[in-house]
Amino acid sequence: MLEPREGIPPVIADEAALAEVIAAFAAGTGPVAVDAERASGYRYGQRAYLVQLRREGAGTALIDPIACPDLSGLGEALSGTEWVLHAATQDLPCLREIGMVPTRLFDTELAGRLAGFPRVGLGAMVENVLGYVLEKGHSAVDWSTRPLPEPWLRYAALDVELLVDLRDALEKELDRQGKLQWARQEFDAIASAPPPEPRKEPWRRTSGMHRVRRRRQMAVVRELWLTRDRIAQRRDVSPGKVLSDAAIVEAALAMPADTRALAALNGFGQRVSRRQLEQWQAAVDRARALSESRLPQPGQPVTGPPPPRAWADKDPAAAARLTAAKAGVTKLAEQLNMPQENLITPDTVRRVCWEPPAVVTADSVAAALTSHGARPWQVELVTPVLMEALAKSG
């Protein structure tokens, strides 16, 4: 499929045109296909730079959320309507920022996982389920570009062109496999989930951080990361375009004494101005000057079980429980033809195996699973598997 059925619609970029779209979509029927394009790798943050919708009776709309930053009116007009998204958790945060929050949804990617499809990207799903090949090639472009080129708009419109058709076909397949109620519970959980908490100490997720062992070197990573983040936010560019993670780690390991030593490191030499070198060196110097008490602690506070590799030493019985539980979950997932992590999250299995109920019964295991966020269908299927694993390794 190379062209949307009704052609490429004009981009909605003013309040009058938006009001017409809201009226048209409110009057439409059936589910509404929704997608959003971000500028990951180009801009700071994960804001939406284009929102695409399609609904029976309303056609397709392409909305510029930079020109129309408040889409709460559209969100309200679609309240109670089922939204069809592909990989919903990726798009929901940026949609929420502009006032679009679904009360009901159908996630075609998650449906594909539950139904056992080996490839669940939108293009692969449309091809396998509906027999259409979608135009590829513009998913990673800079969607903050204005005006958006016509080929990009065509690609964006095609992303929602067949979403409702795909949803209908997947609903039938899930029903055929006896998994439709499971999928609905998953969709409800996504729709009702609160916004994720901001990450604590996000600098610890710097790529290559495992190489940084000393606390003062960690402080260098933290100072460089925070400096980079402020600059990236001010300039509205991706942090990686300001300074790479690899360069941050290099500086932390080398602990350069001055800008000359810093300039000799990978990532700091070419095309880095004297002023930029000075600001990076200032961050290193701040970390050098910190008192011992203000240096970051190694590792993050652990709220859950320790890493599984440490279980054999810390608690051999727990390690045996986990081995048995993982084998049981793997076997059940294969029987159900779905990924293990969709049957039950590995973190949930680890937590129940590390701290099992004092008395192992169907009710106590089910309660433990529920307390960790497992849905009723998961609890029903996984409880017998975990009971057996917990009993075996007693």
Side-chain angles (χ1 to χ4, degrees):
M1 179 168 276
L2 298 175
E3 285 285 339
R5 278 170 277 200
E6 297 105 23
I8 304 170
V11 177
I12 304 302
D14 62 65
E15 293 302 319
L18 178 60
E20 291 180 16
V21 163
I22 292 172
F25 275 79
T29 57
V32 57
V34 182
D35 190 24
E37 305 295 349
R38 299 177 300 282
S40 305
Y42 297 94
R43 295 288 182 175
Y44 186 86
Q46 293 295 314
R47 71 186 298 183
Y49 283 93
L50 188 70
V51 175
Q52 308 101 280
L53 304 99
R54 182 173 178 83
R55 192 180 192 191
E56 186 70 33
T60 297
L62 304 178
I63 302 173
D64 179 355
I66 306 305
C68 301
D70 180 7
L71 298 187
S72 57
L74 179 59
E76 288 164 15
L78 296 172
S79 179
T81 299
E82 182 187 85
W83 296 23
V84 184
L85 300 105
H86 191 81
T89 53
Q90 292 182 23
D91 285 340
L92 288 178
C94 69
L95 289 170
R96 185 181 282 113
E97 281 183 4
I98 52 179
M100 295 185 66
V101 183
T103 52
R104 295 168 51 216
L105 64 83
F106 189 108
D107 186 332
T108 49
E109 186 205 46
L110 182 50
R113 291 181 187 278
L114 295 174
F117 285 89
R119 295 165 61 223
V120 293
L122 181 60
M125 293 287 290
V126 167
E127 190 171 346
N128 290 338
V129 177
L130 302 177
Y132 286 99
V133 177
L134 289 179
E135 185 189 5
K136 299 183 181 77
H138 299 298
S139 60
V141 299
D142 181 2
W143 287 96
S144 68
T145 301
R146 293 294 184 272
L148 286 163
E150 186 175 291
W152 300 11
L153 296 174
R154 180 182 298 108
Y155 164 91
L158 287 171
D159 263 2
V160 291
E161 184 77 14
L162 297 169
L163 259 186
V164 174
D165 297 328
L166 180 61
R167 171 235 178 272
D168 292 346
L170 287 171
E171 183 178 59
K172 287 177 184 170
E173 179 59 23
L174 288 167
D175 195 29
R176 186 187 70 77
Q177 294 185 24
K179 298 175 179 176
L180 184 56
Q181 289 306 316
W182 305 353
R184 285 181 175 152
Q185 288 179 32
E186 291 300 292
F187 303 155
D188 287 347
I190 294 171
S192 61
E197 293 284 326
R199 289 192 188 280
K200 289 180 180 174
E201 301 189 314
W203 59 269
R204 289 186 184 270
R205 295 177 63 83
T206 302
S207 181
M209 190 69 192
H210 62 281
R211 297 169 58 204
V212 182
R213 301 291 171 84
R214 297 177 184 166
R215 291 173 63 203
R216 196 162 298 279
Q217 292 174 331
M218 291 179 184
V220 173
V221 172
R222 180 175 64 187
E223 289 298 327
L224 285 171
W225 192 98
L226 292 171
T227 301
R228 179 183 71 173
D229 196 63
R230 285 192 294 271
I231 295 167
Q233 190 168 11
R234 188 179 72 239
R235 288 168 45 189
D236 190 17
V237 295
S238 168
K241 288 191 175 299
V242 176
L243 187 68
S244 70
D245 279 10
I248 289 178
V249 170
E250 283 288 318
L253 295 175
M255 298 282 289
D258 52 36
T259 54
R260 188 172 174 182
L262 182 66
L265 300 176
N266 286 336
F268 291 95
Q270 296 178 331
R271 292 179 304 180
V272 178
S273 69
R274 177 80 188 173
R275 190 177 67 80
Q276 288 172 320
L277 277 175
E278 286 172 354
Q279 72 186 2
W280 300 130
Q281 184 62 43
V284 175
D285 292 343
R286 284 195 298 275
R288 280 175 167 280
L290 287 174
S291 64
E292 284 287 324
S293 63
R294 295 182 63 197
L295 295 177
Q297 293 299 321
Q300 290 174 282
V302 177
T303 54
R309 64 179 177 274
W311 286 31
D313 292 331
K314 288 178 180 287
D315 189 339
R321 290 193 292 268
L322 183 62
T323 299
K326 284 164 78 171
V329 168
T330 299
K331 182 179 177 183
L332 179 57
E334 287 172 354
Q335 290 170 354
L336 295 170
N337 189 26
M338 72 169 66
Q340 296 170 41
E341 64 270 19
N342 291 113
L343 172 59
I344 190 76
T345 67
D347 181 66
T348 298
V349 174
R350 284 195 293 269
R351 287 173 184 269
V352 174
C353 288
W354 184 252
E355 290 189 48
V359 180
V360 175
T361 65
D363 286 346
S364 67
V365 173
L369 286 168
T370 301
S371 73
H372 294 306
R375 265 68 74 189
W377 73 273
Q378 295 173 316
V379 173
E380 183 181 341
L381 289 167
V382 175
T383 292
V385 173
L386 287 192
M387 280 184 65
E388 186 177 346
L390 297 176
K392 267 185 187 173
S393 48

